[in-house]
Structures are given as structure tokens and as C-alpha cells.
Amino acid sequence: MKNSLVKTVGILTSGGDAPGLNAAIRAIARTAMDEYGMKVIGIHNGYRGLIDCEYEELKPFDITGILTRGGTILGTSREKPFKYTEENSKTGKNPVESIKQTYKKLALDALVVLGGNGANTTAHMLHQEGLNIIGLPKTIDNDLVGTDITFGFYTAVSVATEAIDRLHTTAHSHNRIMVIEVMGHKAGWLALYAGIAGGGDVIIIPEIPYDVKIINKHLSKRKEEGKSFSIVVVAEGAKSLEEAKLDKKVLKHRRSEMKESIGYRIARELEKETGFVSRVTVLGYLQRGGTPEPYDRILATRFGVEAAHMLARGEFGKMVAIKNDRITAVPLEEISGKIKKVPLTHELILAGRTVGTCFGDK
Ligand code: F6P
């Protein structure tokens, strides 16, 4: 066995699940156990399990056969421990204090958190509270700063692309506008990648506020050219020109009042403007579930192995990342509370415009 500063490590998965979580758990646990002889504790249901002290010791058998499995064997939650104090928590206990107690009770030397923006921000705050933490970038949204790619993203791109391919044939048969709404939270990565891969005629992302009149012009031109159907890919966080001018809080409130998701609204607006029959598909959780693609299995394995080596070296307060296809790590402080949006000069936006894709702005 090689020397390791960490003898006992906890692993948890937090936030929305993403394909590749089990591959990452397997890689961390296997490297930690086999190379360094660490004891590995699986914390149940994200930060919730740390608060409630729900866990299991992972043995080699527990991490066998999980590389290809979707979801997370540990369970997850969107628990935000810093949101509550003893006064406003349901249990009357301060969740952060409960977390510290569990950490101590389980004699953890460190914790590995597999999560997105929220989870890594919480990881940073817990690190500031004195816990030894390493983060791993997981989300189908690909919206974490500090890393080129998050695991789960490419599987979601594949699922969304296949859906667009299927919608193409039925759109063609019925001469319809097909609006497909994909996830992505406040960023347009998923819509952009799947939209380009699936040949979307229009791609609407939050970073480029849309004008329905411009989309109408594009779709009408297609019709004049004899193209009787169109595919419109919409990111769930897309906003109109008018909405983009609103204060963030006002927009959030308006959105919470909306009875339909953005895809339905855009389809309605387009039908009104163009007179073309429109249909909507909201892809939803299909993008998150199921078997990870090879790319995500590989990326999650690379991240997990590196996390275990970092544990052994005592390199805490960082998130494992990938930059220019090299595995590296970035301080949690640098990524905490930030969202990686699609830059307007992103090569795929420029490429899309070149091949005639409309982004709703010109
Ligand atoms: O963060 C990943 C994500 O899949 C987003 O794309 C989506 O907005 C969100 O989770 C929905 O998750 P839930 O309904 O599980 O909170």
C-alpha cells in the first residue's frame, strides 16, 4: 500500500443525478481502497445524510458492477445546509453543526463531494468551516466554471440529439414546427450542443435573448424555400428580449407564475406569428437517467482516480477539473457561487450561424 494522509474518507453525491456518478464513486473508492488502504464511507442522500448521520461503509462488493449503471448508488438530495440555522430548521438543530458532528463521529479525515454548482459551493463553505473537502464536477448542464466539461453532459447531449433526430422525421411527415425543450438550468450548453448535433433550425439559449419576430422571419423563409417543417431547440432557461431587460428577481417571480414551461410558450407565440402548426416535446428527466455514454464513464473514472490521489496527498479545498483534456484541480474558492454560461463568441454559435441556424437574435 502507498502512503496516504487520509485514512478514512466519506463520499457523497448531491444535487440532480447525472450519468457517470457511479463510475466516479467506483473510481474513487477502488483507488482509495486498493492503492492506499483507506476506509471508504458512502454517505446517503447527499448533504442530508451528513446531517442525519446516514451512511454505510463501502466494501469492494458494493462497488462492483456499477460502472455502467445510471443514477447514484448513494442516493442524492438538493439539501442546502447553510440555508438553515437552529432557529429556522425543522429539527431545531443547526445543520452545519450536525454535519461537523457526523464528520467527527465517523472519524472522517476528508470528504469527496460529487456535485454541481450548489454542491461545490456548499463544499467550499464547509471547507471554510474546517472540513477537508474535494469536489468533483457533475452535471448534465455543463455549467460549472473551472472545468471544460462536467461528467453527465455528453450523455445528456446524446439523449437530446436522438430525440431531435426522431422529431425530425415526424415533423417532416406532418409539415409542423417541432419545439423541443431541453434542460440546462440557466445555461445553454445542452441546447447548443444537441441543437447543433441534431441540426436544429432554430436554437434558443438563455445567453441570447430571443425575438419571436426574428424566429418567424427565419421559419417563413424556410417555408418559402420549400422546407415545410422546422425544428426549434429551446433551453429551459431561455428568455425573450423583453424578459432579458427585467430585474433578475422580477423575472424569477414571473417565471414561477407561468403555468407552462418556456417550450410551450414559444410554440404558442410561433403558431400565432407564423400560422404554422406547432407541437412541443419537453424532454425532461430522460436526459438525466440511464446508462452513461463511454465518454462520461471515462471522464468520471479519470476524475475519481485523481480525487483519490489528491486525498492521499492531502490536497483539499479543490475541485477536480479537466482543461484541454488534462486532468487538473481548481480551488473551490474560484468556482464557488459562479455559473459558466456559453460565451457569445463560442465557436459552436459561430459555426451554427455559418450553417444557417437561427439563434433568435438576427
Ligand atoms: O441541475 C441539473 C438539472 O437537471 C437542470 O438541468 C434542471 O433544471 C434541474 O436539474 C431540475 O432538477 P430537479 O427537478 O431534480 O430539481
Side-chain angles (χ1 to χ4, degrees):
M1 290 287 170
K2 292 183 187 162
N3 284 339
S4 169
L5 284 174
V6 167
K7 306 292 175 214
T8 305
V9 60
I11 305 178
L12 67 83
T13 54
S14 173
D17 68 344
L21 276 169
N22 288 326
I25 294 169
R26 169 182 175 268
I28 302 163
R30 223 168 239 179
T31 314
M33 288 175 194
D34 299 353
E35 289 248 315
Y36 298 105
M38 289 182 217
K39 180 174 170 183
V40 180
I41 309 281
I43 311 288
H44 293 168
N45 304 321
Y47 290 113
R48 183 79 251 156
L50 265 190
I51 296 168
D52 296 341
C53 198
E54 284 172 1
Y55 65 94
E56 69 192 290
E57 185 180 340
L58 295 178
K59 297 288 184 192
F61 179 77
D62 301 313
I63 49 165
T64 293
I66 65 167
L67 171 69
T68 58
R69 208 189 299 167
T72 159
I73 58 162
L74 296 176
T76 186
S77 68
R78 289 202 182 273
E79 190 66 55
K80 287 189 175 136
F82 285 92
K83 223 173 146 183
Y84 305 101
T85 58
E86 49 270 47
E87 284 83 41
N88 63 7
S89 85
K90 281 183 211 142
T91 56
K93 286 188 198 156
N94 181 323
V96 177
E97 289 312 313
S98 304
I99 286 178
K100 287 184 188 168
Q101 278 165 17
T102 303
Y103 188 86
K104 216 167 153 191
K105 185 177 164 197
L106 300 180
L108 299 181
D109 300 308
L111 191 66
V112 184
V113 170
L114 283 57
N117 279 309
N120 278 290
T121 299
T122 300
H124 172 57
M125 291 159 96
L126 287 174
H127 180 63
Q128 286 180 317
E129 293 281 330
L131 271 55
N132 294 328
I133 299 210
I134 292 172
L136 245 69
K138 160 260 22 167
T139 166
I140 63 161
D141 303 335
N142 197 37
D143 60 349
L144 267 167
V145 296
T147 186
D148 291 344
I149 315 278
T150 56
F151 66 86
F153 174 62
Y154 274 116
T155 302
V157 169
S158 287
V159 173
T161 303
E162 197 202 331
I164 296 169
D165 291 348
R166 287 178 183 276
L167 290 170
H168 246 113
T169 58
T170 171
H172 198 174
S173 310
H174 286 266
N175 305 323
R176 282 171 172 162
I177 296 177
M178 282 291 183
V179 174
I180 172 162
E181 181 186 308
V182 300
M183 283 185 166
H185 199 44
K186 291 180 183 158
W189 296 102
L190 194 47
L192 178 64
Y193 275 64
I196 294 290
D201 305 300
V202 180
I203 301 174
I204 310 290
I205 60 175
E207 292 83 351
I208 307 179
Y210 72 88
D211 179 346
V212 79
K213 294 211 166 7
I214 286 175
I215 306 175
N216 172 22
K217 226 166 104 186
H218 186 76
L219 298 185
S220 301
K221 189 167 158 262
R222 274 178 58 80
K223 188 133 201 187
E224 277 160 33
E225 289 166 358
K227 295 163 186 159
S228 60
F229 72 96
S230 292
I231 302 288
V232 180
V233 182
V234 178
E236 64 179 350
K239 35 188 185 256
S240 66
L241 270 180
E242 191 226 337
E243 286 175 318
K245 288 181 199 142
L246 295 174
D247 171 75
K248 272 186 196 157
K249 276 194 185 146
V250 178
L251 178 60
K252 202 173 167 193
H253 178 69
R254 271 211 197 171
R255 279 292 164 91
S256 66
E257 302 259 283
M258 250 168 68
K259 296 215 164 36
E260 56 192 358
S261 70
I262 185 77
Y264 283 95
R265 191 183 80 193
I266 290 183
R268 213 171 15 83
E269 290 171 346
L270 286 178
E271 212 168 65
K272 200 166 148 216
E273 279 285 326
T274 61
F276 306 154
V277 177
S278 305
R279 292 286 189 270
V280 185
T281 302
V282 179
L283 212 45
Y285 297 91
L286 287 171
Q287 295 159 102
R288 261 176 27 189
T291 308
E293 295 263 303
Y295 181 87
D296 282 328
R297 298 180 200 181
I298 293 166
L299 186 62
T301 301
R302 292 172 78 189
F303 282 158
V305 168
E306 180 59 17
H309 293 324
M310 285 166 65
L311 287 169
R313 294 196 296 266
E315 211 178 314
F316 306 123
K318 291 184 179 176
M319 182 187 80
V320 187
I322 185 162
K323 284 185 185 165
N324 301 320
D325 202 32
R326 292 193 57 166
I327 300 297
T328 176
V330 288
L332 284 168
E333 194 182 358
E334 281 178 20
I335 60 151
S336 169
K338 296 182 188 157
I339 291 181
K340 183 179 73 182
K341 299 237 179 176
V342 181
L344 296 182
T345 52
H346 191 278
E347 195 203 318
L348 268 192
I349 296 182
L350 305 181
R353 293 199 197 277
T354 312
V355 297
T357 311
C358 169
F359 286 89
D361 60 334
K362 52 180 158 182

Coordinates of all heavy atoms in Angstrom, one line a residue, residues 22-80:
N22 N -22.0 6.8 -10.6 CA -21.5 5.5 -10.1 C -20.1 5.2 -10.6 O -19.3 4.6 -9.8 CB -22.5 4.4 -10.5 CG -23.7 4.5 -9.7 OD1 -23.7 4.9 -8.5 ND2 -24.9 4.2 -10.3
A23 N -19.8 5.6 -11.8 CA -18.4 5.4 -12.4 C -17.4 6.1 -11.5 O -16.3 5.6 -11.2 CB -18.4 5.8 -13.8
A24 N -17.8 7.3 -11.1 CA -16.9 8.2 -10.3 C -16.7 7.6 -8.9 O -15.6 7.5 -8.4 CB -17.4 9.6 -10.2
I25 N -17.9 7.1 -8.3 CA -17.8 6.5 -6.9 C -16.9 5.3 -7.0 O -16.0 5.1 -6.1 CB -19.2 6.1 -6.5 CG1 -20.1 7.3 -6.3 CG2 -19.1 5.2 -5.2 CD1 -21.6 7.0 -6.1
R26 N -17.0 4.5 -8.0 CA -16.2 3.3 -8.2 C -14.7 3.6 -8.3 O -13.9 3.0 -7.6 CB -16.7 2.5 -9.4 CG -15.8 1.4 -9.9 CD -16.4 0.8 -11.1 NE -15.6 -0.2 -11.8 CZ -14.7 0.1 -12.7 NH1 -14.4 1.3 -13.1 NH2 -14.0 -0.9 -13.2
A27 N -14.4 4.7 -9.1 CA -13.0 5.0 -9.3 C -12.4 5.6 -8.0 O -11.3 5.2 -7.6 CB -12.9 6.0 -10.4
I28 N -13.1 6.4 -7.3 CA -12.6 7.0 -6.0 C -12.4 5.8 -5.0 O -11.3 5.7 -4.5 CB -13.6 8.0 -5.4 CG1 -13.9 9.1 -6.3 CG2 -13.0 8.5 -4.1 CD1 -15.2 9.9 -5.9
A29 N -13.4 5.0 -4.8 CA -13.4 4.0 -3.8 C -12.3 2.9 -4.1 O -11.6 2.5 -3.2 CB -14.8 3.4 -3.6
R30 N -12.3 2.5 -5.4 CA -11.3 1.5 -5.7 C -9.9 2.0 -5.5 O -9.1 1.3 -4.9 CB -11.5 1.0 -7.1 CG -11.5 -0.4 -7.2 CD -11.9 -1.0 -8.5 NE -13.0 -1.9 -8.2 CZ -13.7 -2.6 -9.1 NH1 -13.4 -2.4 -10.4 NH2 -14.6 -3.4 -8.8
T31 N -9.6 3.2 -6.0 CA -8.2 3.7 -5.8 C -7.9 3.9 -4.4 O -6.8 3.5 -3.9 CB -8.1 5.0 -6.6 OG1 -8.7 4.9 -7.9 CG2 -6.6 5.5 -6.7
A32 N -8.9 4.5 -3.6 CA -8.7 4.7 -2.2 C -8.4 3.4 -1.4 O -7.5 3.3 -0.6 CB -9.9 5.4 -1.6
M33 N -9.2 2.4 -1.7 CA -9.1 1.1 -1.0 C -7.8 0.3 -1.5 O -7.0 -0.1 -0.7 CB -10.3 0.2 -1.3 CG -11.6 0.6 -0.6 SD -12.9 -0.5 -1.2 CE -14.3 0.4 -0.7
D34 N -7.7 0.2 -2.8 CA -6.7 -0.8 -3.3 C -5.3 -0.2 -3.3 O -4.3 -0.9 -3.1 CB -7.0 -1.2 -4.7 CG -8.4 -2.0 -4.8 OD1 -8.9 -2.2 -3.7 OD2 -8.9 -2.3 -5.8
E35 N -5.2 1.1 -3.6 CA -3.8 1.7 -3.7 C -3.4 2.2 -2.3 O -2.2 2.2 -2.0 CB -3.8 2.9 -4.6 CG -4.0 2.6 -6.1 CD -2.7 2.9 -6.9 OE1 -2.2 4.0 -6.7 OE2 -2.4 2.0 -7.7
Y36 N -4.3 2.7 -1.5 CA -3.9 3.4 -0.3 C -4.5 2.8 1.0 O -4.2 3.3 2.1 CB -4.4 4.9 -0.3 CG -3.7 5.7 -1.5 CD1 -4.5 6.0 -2.6 CD2 -2.4 6.1 -1.4 CE1 -3.9 6.7 -3.7 CE2 -1.8 6.8 -2.4 CZ -2.6 7.1 -3.6 OH -2.0 7.8 -4.6
G37 N -5.3 1.8 0.9 CA -5.9 1.1 2.1 C -6.8 2.0 2.9 O -6.9 1.8 4.1
M38 N -7.4 2.9 2.3 CA -8.4 3.8 3.0 C -9.7 3.1 3.3 O -10.1 2.2 2.6 CB -8.7 5.0 2.2 CG -7.6 6.0 2.0 SD -8.2 7.5 1.0 CE -6.8 7.8 0.0
K39 N -10.3 3.5 4.4 CA -11.7 3.1 4.7 C -12.6 4.1 4.0 O -12.4 5.3 4.1 CB -11.9 3.1 6.2 CG -13.2 2.7 6.7 CD -13.2 2.7 8.2 CE -14.5 2.5 8.8 NZ -14.5 2.6 10.3
V40 N -13.6 3.5 3.3 CA -14.5 4.4 2.5 C -15.9 4.4 3.0 O -16.5 3.3 3.0 CB -14.4 4.1 1.0 CG1 -15.3 5.0 0.2 CG2 -13.0 4.1 0.4
I41 N -16.4 5.5 3.3 CA -17.8 5.6 3.9 C -18.7 6.3 2.8 O -18.4 7.4 2.4 CB -17.9 6.5 5.1 CG1 -16.8 6.0 6.2 CG2 -19.3 6.5 5.7 CD1 -17.1 4.8 7.0
G42 N -19.7 5.6 2.4 CA -20.7 6.2 1.5 C -21.8 6.9 2.3 O -22.5 6.3 3.1
I43 N -21.9 8.2 2.1 CA -22.9 9.0 2.8 C -24.2 9.0 2.0 O -24.2 9.2 0.8 CB -22.5 10.5 3.0 CG1 -21.0 10.6 3.5 CG2 -23.5 11.3 3.8 CD1 -20.9 10.2 5.0
H44 N -25.3 8.7 2.6 CA -26.6 8.5 1.9 C -27.3 9.9 1.6 O -27.2 10.8 2.4 CB -27.6 7.7 2.7 CG -27.2 6.3 2.8 ND1 -27.8 5.4 3.6 CD2 -26.2 5.6 2.1 CE1 -27.2 4.2 3.5 NE2 -26.2 4.3 2.6
N45 N -27.8 10.0 0.4 CA -28.7 11.2 0.0 C -28.0 12.5 0.2 O -28.6 13.5 0.8 CB -30.0 11.1 0.8 CG -30.7 9.8 0.6 OD1 -30.7 9.3 -0.6 ND2 -31.3 9.2 1.6
G46 N -26.8 12.7 -0.3 CA -26.2 14.0 -0.3 C -25.9 14.5 1.1 O -25.7 13.8 2.0
Y47 N -26.0 15.9 1.2 CA -25.7 16.5 2.5 C -26.7 16.1 3.5 O -26.4 16.2 4.7 CB -25.7 18.0 2.3 CG -24.4 18.5 1.5 CD1 -24.6 19.1 0.3 CD2 -23.2 18.4 2.0 CE1 -23.5 19.5 -0.4 CE2 -22.0 18.8 1.4 CZ -22.2 19.4 0.1 OH -21.1 19.8 -0.6
R48 N -27.9 15.7 3.1 CA -28.9 15.2 4.0 C -28.4 14.1 4.9 O -28.6 14.1 6.1 CB -30.1 14.7 3.2 CG -31.3 14.3 3.9 CD -32.2 15.4 4.4 NE -32.1 15.5 5.8 CZ -32.3 16.6 6.6 NH1 -32.6 17.7 6.0 NH2 -32.2 16.6 7.9
G49 N -27.7 13.2 4.3 CA -27.1 12.0 5.0 C -26.0 12.5 6.0 O -25.9 11.8 7.1
L50 N -25.3 13.5 5.7 CA -24.3 14.0 6.7 C -25.0 14.6 7.9 O -24.6 14.5 9.0 CB -23.4 15.1 6.0 CG -22.1 14.7 5.4 CD1 -21.3 15.9 5.0 CD2 -21.3 13.8 6.3
I51 N -26.1 15.3 7.6 CA -26.8 16.0 8.7 C -27.5 14.9 9.6 O -27.4 15.0 10.8 CB -28.0 16.9 8.1 CG1 -27.3 18.1 7.3 CG2 -28.9 17.5 9.2 CD1 -28.3 18.9 6.5
D52 N -28.1 13.9 8.9 CA -28.8 12.9 9.7 C -27.9 11.7 10.1 O -28.4 10.7 10.7 CB -30.0 12.4 8.9 CG -31.0 13.4 8.7 OD1 -31.0 14.4 9.4 OD2 -31.8 13.3 7.7
C53 N -26.7 11.7 9.7 CA -25.7 10.6 10.0 C -26.2 9.3 9.4 O -26.3 8.3 10.1 CB -25.5 10.5 11.5 SG -24.0 9.6 11.9
E54 N -26.5 9.3 8.1 CA -27.0 8.1 7.4 C -25.9 7.7 6.5 O -25.6 8.5 5.5 CB -28.3 8.3 6.8 CG -29.4 8.3 7.8 CD -30.8 8.7 7.2 OE1 -30.9 9.0 6.0 OE2 -31.7 8.8 8.0
Y55 N -25.4 6.5 6.6 CA -24.2 6.1 5.8 C -24.0 4.6 5.8 O -24.8 3.9 6.5 CB -22.9 6.7 6.5 CG -22.7 6.2 7.8 CD1 -21.8 5.1 8.0 CD2 -23.3 6.7 9.0 CE1 -21.6 4.6 9.3 CE2 -23.1 6.2 10.2 CZ -22.2 5.1 10.4 OH -22.0 4.6 11.6
E56 N -23.1 4.2 5.0 CA -22.7 2.7 5.0 C -21.2 2.7 4.7 O -20.7 3.5 3.9 CB -23.5 1.9 4.0 CG -23.1 2.3 2.6 CD -24.1 1.7 1.5 OE1 -24.1 0.5 1.3 OE2 -24.8 2.6 0.9
E57 N -20.5 1.7 5.2 CA -19.1 1.5 4.8 C -19.1 0.8 3.5 O -19.8 -0.2 3.4 CB -18.3 0.8 5.9 CG -16.8 0.7 5.5 CD -15.9 0.0 6.4 OE1 -16.3 -0.2 7.6 OE2 -14.9 -0.4 6.0
L58 N -18.4 1.3 2.5 CA -18.4 0.7 1.2 C -17.3 -0.4 1.2 O -16.2 -0.2 1.6 CB -18.1 1.7 0.1 CG -19.2 2.7 -0.2 CD1 -18.8 3.7 -1.3 CD2 -20.6 2.1 -0.5
K59 N -17.7 -1.6 0.7 CA -16.8 -2.7 0.6 C -16.6 -3.0 -0.9 O -17.5 -2.6 -1.7 CB -17.4 -3.9 1.3 CG -17.6 -3.8 2.8 CD -16.2 -3.8 3.5 CE -16.4 -3.7 5.0 NZ -15.1 -3.4 5.7
P60 N -15.5 -3.7 -1.3 CA -15.3 -3.9 -2.7 C -16.6 -4.5 -3.4 O -16.9 -4.0 -4.5 CB -14.2 -5.0 -2.7 CG -13.4 -4.7 -1.4 CD -14.5 -4.2 -0.4
F61 N -17.3 -5.3 -2.8 CA -18.5 -5.9 -3.4 C -19.5 -4.8 -3.8 O -20.2 -4.9 -4.8 CB -19.2 -6.9 -2.5 CG -20.4 -7.5 -3.0 CD1 -20.3 -8.5 -4.0 CD2 -21.7 -7.1 -2.6 CE1 -21.5 -9.1 -4.5 CE2 -22.8 -7.7 -3.2 CZ -22.7 -8.7 -4.1
D62 N -19.6 -3.7 -2.9 CA -20.6 -2.7 -3.2 C -20.3 -1.9 -4.5 O -21.2 -1.2 -5.0 CB -20.7 -1.7 -2.0 CG -21.0 -2.4 -0.7 OD1 -22.0 -3.2 -0.7 OD2 -20.3 -2.2 0.3
I63 N -19.1 -1.9 -4.8 CA -18.7 -1.0 -6.0 C -18.4 -1.9 -7.2 O -17.8 -1.4 -8.2 CB -17.5 -0.1 -5.7 CG1 -16.4 -0.8 -5.0 CG2 -18.0 1.1 -4.8 CD1 -15.1 -0.1 -5.0
T64 N -18.8 -3.1 -7.2 CA -18.6 -4.0 -8.3 C -19.8 -3.9 -9.2 O -21.0 -3.9 -8.7 CB -18.4 -5.5 -7.9 OG1 -17.1 -5.5 -7.2 CG2 -18.4 -6.4 -9.0
G65 N -19.6 -3.8 -10.5 CA -20.7 -3.8 -11.5 C -21.5 -2.5 -11.6 O -22.6 -2.5 -12.1
I66 N -20.9 -1.4 -11.0 CA -21.7 -0.2 -11.1 C -21.2 0.8 -12.1 O -21.8 1.9 -12.3 CB -21.7 0.5 -9.7 CG1 -20.3 1.0 -9.2 CG2 -22.4 -0.4 -8.6 CD1 -20.3 1.9 -8.0
L67 N -20.1 0.5 -12.8 CA -19.5 1.4 -13.8 C -20.5 1.9 -14.8 O -20.6 3.1 -15.1 CB -18.3 0.7 -14.5 CG -17.7 1.4 -15.7 CD1 -17.0 2.7 -15.3 CD2 -16.8 0.5 -16.4
T68 N -21.3 1.0 -15.3 CA -22.3 1.3 -16.4 C -23.6 1.7 -15.9 O -24.5 2.1 -16.7 CB -22.4 0.0 -17.2 OG1 -23.0 -1.0 -16.4 CG2 -21.1 -0.4 -17.8
R69 N -23.8 1.7 -14.6 CA -25.2 2.0 -14.1 C -25.5 3.5 -13.9 O -24.6 4.2 -13.4 CB -25.3 1.3 -12.7 CG -26.8 0.9 -12.4 CD -27.0 0.5 -11.0 NE -26.2 -0.7 -10.6 CZ -26.1 -1.1 -9.3 NH1 -26.6 -0.4 -8.3 NH2 -25.4 -2.2 -9.0
G70 N -26.7 3.9 -14.4 CA -27.1 5.3 -14.2 C -27.4 5.6 -12.8 O -27.4 4.7 -11.9
G71 N -27.8 6.9 -12.5 CA -28.2 7.3 -11.1 C -27.0 7.2 -10.2 O -25.8 7.4 -10.6
T72 N -27.3 7.1 -8.9 CA -26.2 7.0 -7.9 C -26.6 6.0 -6.8 O -27.7 6.0 -6.3 CB -25.9 8.4 -7.2 OG1 -25.3 8.2 -6.0 CG2 -27.2 9.2 -7.0
I73 N -25.6 5.1 -6.5 CA -25.9 4.1 -5.5 C -26.1 4.7 -4.1 O -26.6 4.0 -3.2 CB -24.9 2.9 -5.5 CG1 -23.5 3.5 -5.2 CG2 -24.9 2.1 -6.8 CD1 -22.5 2.5 -4.7
L74 N -25.6 5.9 -4.0 CA -25.7 6.5 -2.7 C -26.9 7.3 -2.4 O -27.2 7.8 -1.3 CB -24.4 7.4 -2.5 CG -23.1 6.7 -2.4 CD1 -21.9 7.7 -2.3 CD2 -23.0 5.7 -1.3
G75 N -27.7 7.6 -3.5 CA -28.8 8.5 -3.4 C -28.4 9.9 -3.3 O -27.2 10.2 -3.1
T76 N -29.3 10.8 -3.6 CA -28.9 12.2 -3.7 C -30.1 13.1 -3.1 O -31.2 12.6 -3.0 CB -28.5 12.7 -5.1 OG1 -28.0 14.0 -5.0 CG2 -29.6 12.6 -6.1
S77 N -29.8 14.4 -2.9 CA -30.8 15.3 -2.5 C -30.3 16.7 -2.8 O -29.1 16.9 -3.1 CB -31.1 15.2 -1.0 OG -29.9 15.7 -0.3
R78 N -31.2 17.7 -2.8 CA -30.8 19.1 -3.0 C -30.6 19.8 -1.7 O -30.8 21.0 -1.7 CB -31.8 19.8 -3.9 CG -31.8 19.2 -5.4 CD -32.3 20.3 -6.3 NE -32.4 19.8 -7.7 CZ -31.4 19.9 -8.5 NH1 -30.2 20.4 -8.1 NH2 -31.5 19.5 -9.8
E79 N -30.3 19.1 -0.7 CA -30.1 19.8 0.7 C -29.1 20.9 0.7 O -28.0 20.7 0.1 CB -29.7 18.7 1.7 CG -29.7 19.1 3.1 CD -31.1 19.4 3.6 OE1 -32.0 18.5 3.5 OE2 -31.3 20.5 4.1
K80 N -29.5 22.0 1.2 CA -28.5 23.2 1.3 C -28.3 23.5 2.8 O -29.1 24.3 3.4 CB -29.1 24.4 0.6 CG -29.0 24.2 -0.9 CD -29.4 25.5 -1.6 CE -29.2 25.4 -3.1 NZ -30.4 26.0 -3.8

